[in-house]
Amino acid sequence: MAPEASAQVNFRTGSFNKPTATGNQSITGVGFQPKAIIFFHASTTNGGLGNSAKGEGAFSIGFAASSSASTKGDTGRSLTTWSDGAGTSNTGGGVSKGDAIVMTGIGGAVRGQATLVSFNSDGFTLTWSAVNSV
């Protein structure tokens, strides 16, 4: 019996800063052309990744697997949640069809929103339609 064919799998973890102006942002240095990307974002009012005393913060996850609209009409998906950690909580969340990244702050204000433009030979390009100054 012949061995099963296998595909090479490449992956890379890393980080980049969100721009403070709308438009395209090219991310390079990945080392190969991606076929899919998963994005994570987390923040709190105290600047860390978690405030266990209050439970306040915002978190989002998104992905993109194509830069052109699929038969479902989207190029990515994202989910965001937030909580102020107070007894009279301001909590919520949202889902985006088409945006690979939607970053919100506590209260739901959009801090960043981006879609995938292209997968490139050494990374990818995003276009930011909404940003804040942080």
Side-chain angles (χ1 to χ4, degrees):
M1 178 181 273
E4 290 185 36
S6 61
Q8 179 178 349
V9 176
N10 295 315
F11 68 93
R12 172 77 52 129
T13 61
S15 63
F16 60 91
N17 292 324
K18 170 187 70 66
T20 56
T22 59
N24 285 357
Q25 179 184 24
S26 180
I27 308 299
T28 60
V30 174
F32 56 89
Q33 183 171 356
K35 294 194 183 287
I37 307 172
I38 301 171
F39 299 98
F40 296 96
H41 156 260
S43 65
T44 66
T45 56
N46 67 3
L49 290 179
N51 182 344
S52 58
K54 293 182 110 183
E56 61 192 37
F59 171 80
S60 62
I61 183 170
F63 73 90
S66 173
S67 60
S68 60
S70 67
T71 56
K72 294 183 179 181
D74 63 296
T75 58
R77 294 244 199 263
S78 57
L79 167 72
T80 184
T81 65
W82 65 87
S83 175
D84 66 2
T88 57
S89 271
N90 176 3
T91 62
V95 176
S96 175
K97 176 182 174 184
D99 295 306
I101 301 172
V102 175
M103 302 163 55
T104 59
I106 296 169
V110 174
R111 293 182 172 177
Q113 187 169 346
T115 57
L116 178 69
V117 173
S118 63
F119 289 121
N120 309 321
S121 62
D122 189 33
F124 56 95
T125 300
L126 300 170
T127 188
W128 292 87
S129 57
V131 294
N132 67 354
S133 61
V134 178

